[in-house]
Amino acid sequence: MNRTIVLASNNAGKLKEFGELLGPLGFNLRTQGEFNVPEAEEPHPTFVENALAKARHASRLTGLPALADDSGVCANALGGAPGVLSARFAGEPRSDLRNNRKLIEELAAQADKSAYYYCVLVLVRHADDPQPVIAEGRWDGDIVAEPRGQGGFGYDPHFWLPSLQKTAAELSAQEKNRMSHRGQALRVLVEKLR
């Protein structure tokens, strides 16, 4: 397999996080923006289908192996919503503030505030790879109405971790990477690549 992998994202944080674990294995990770690859459509109802579509799109346009992720927060009382719509839960333009407000409002009448972050990573060796490498991670917590913490992004200020008595936004970057859904999925991927 080519040692250069296209990250089907332009997120600098993801590039750094993924690069730290994949670099020691000899992989050189580059963002799709470096190849002028536009963002892929994400029309599917599942995380794995969206991640696969993004990976195939980046691979097809660059001719290189590609890695994509799809992730979101899933509230149990809402049947897994916002789920794949996490980034656009309150509509366009994307807004963490409005997304969080909508989630809190929809959970207000629910006794069950449990939720989990879910991430799926998909690596394709080429655009038509019949056996993509797939890795998943899940991080359980509860949704709290009052935001806490300055770190993280998205739903982190409302994602309460009972065992730590903190929200995800109150964790250091190192703590979050060690425990998070994305960190878990990335470690599974690394083990599969070894």
Side-chain angles (χ1 to χ4, degrees), residues 172-191:
S172 70
Q174 293 79 15
E175 287 176 305
K176 184 181 174 190
N177 289 345
R178 190 173 66 248
M179 291 184 275
S180 78
H181 54 307
R182 190 171 288 115
Q184 292 175 41
L186 195 49
R187 285 188 294 279
V188 170
L189 179 74
V190 165
E191 282 310 307

Side-chain angles (χ1 to χ4, degrees), residues 69-105:
D69 82 308
D70 200 33
S71 57
V73 71
C74 304
N76 291 310
L78 304 179
V84 295
L85 300 176
S86 290
R88 300 173 185 84
F89 193 44
E92 296 285 357
R94 298 177 190 189
S95 164
D96 288 348
L97 184 65
R98 288 188 303 108
N99 287 339
N100 279 302
R101 189 177 301 137
K102 181 174 180 180
L103 180 59
I104 299 308
E105 287 170 3

Side-chain angles (χ1 to χ4, degrees), residues 105-152:
E105 287 170 3
E106 292 202 8
L107 282 175
Q110 304 292 333
D112 182 4
K113 308 287 193 223
S114 67
Y116 57 92
Y117 270 122
Y118 179 79
C119 173
V120 64
L121 296 174
V122 173
L123 175 73
V124 294
R125 289 164 280 258
H126 54 85
D128 297 315
D129 190 345
Q131 290 184 293
V133 181
I134 299 173
E136 308 170 276
R138 178 177 163 145
W139 195 21
D140 290 282
D142 296 302
I143 301 298
V144 292
E146 293 302 316
R148 290 179 49 173
Q150 301 301 312

